[in-house]
Amino acid sequence: VVLKVQHRGIAPVLRADLGAVKLITWVTAMLTDHDLRSIIDEFVGAVRNELDFRTEARNQERARLALASSGLAVRVPQVVAELTTARVLCMEYVDGFKVTDEARLAEARVDRARLVTDIS
């Protein structure tokens, strides 16, 4: 198995940083013609959701099932739900490489244009 462990204390630090980003965005919107609040609000919400690895586990499982039924030669590790918590994500080990690894894609002679078409 593979474990992804959230460092102790990172969540409050990240929440504080996100709060600062929201404040800066609000001040910028008040003082300039640049109002990015809706974009930043969406980003902050997504990051906060990702702090809970159970959310990531659900998303990973949805992607795994969708790709498994797509016929693509892509494999997403299966989550071990009973060992996954808000701060620990447990999944099966899969030998391979990330779809974003340019060097490994080239080495494996993957047709990138087709890959993009197939997974979109």
Side-chain angles (χ1 to χ4, degrees):
V1 297
V2 174
L3 295 175
K4 179 178 178 181
V5 179
Q6 187 179 98
H7 291 278
R8 180 174 289 130
I10 195 69
V13 170
L14 188 54
R15 284 189 189 99
D17 288 349
L18 292 173
V21 168
K22 285 186 75 158
L23 177 62
I24 291 167
T25 305
W26 181 83
V27 169
T28 301
M30 295 299 117
L31 299 177
T32 71
D33 293 335
H34 304 289
D35 189 354
L36 302 173
R37 289 177 292 182
S38 62
I39 294 168
I40 295 300
D41 286 346
E42 189 173 327
F43 170 75
V44 167
V47 171
R48 284 186 176 146
N49 283 338
E50 291 297 319
L51 281 174
D52 186 336
F53 285 173
R54 294 171 297 195
T55 301
E56 185 173 340
R58 285 190 296 274
N59 293 338
Q60 180 172 322
E61 191 60 13
R62 273 196 295 274
R64 186 185 74 76
L65 293 172
L67 286 168
S69 66
S70 73
L72 296 173
V74 175
R75 184 140 179 250
V76 176
Q78 184 168 1
V79 171
V80 182
E82 58 273 11
L83 298 177
T84 295
T85 68
R87 291 186 51 232
V88 176
L89 175 58
C90 182
M91 66 190 95
E92 72 172 319
Y93 173 79
V94 174
D95 188 30
F97 56 91
K98 290 184 177 185
V99 72
T100 56
D101 187 334
E102 297 276 335
R104 295 288 301 270
L105 287 170
E107 184 181 302
R109 297 177 186 226
V110 172
D111 180 342
R112 294 176 196 174
R114 181 172 177 217
L115 177 64
V116 169
T117 301
D118 287 350
I119 63 173
S120 4

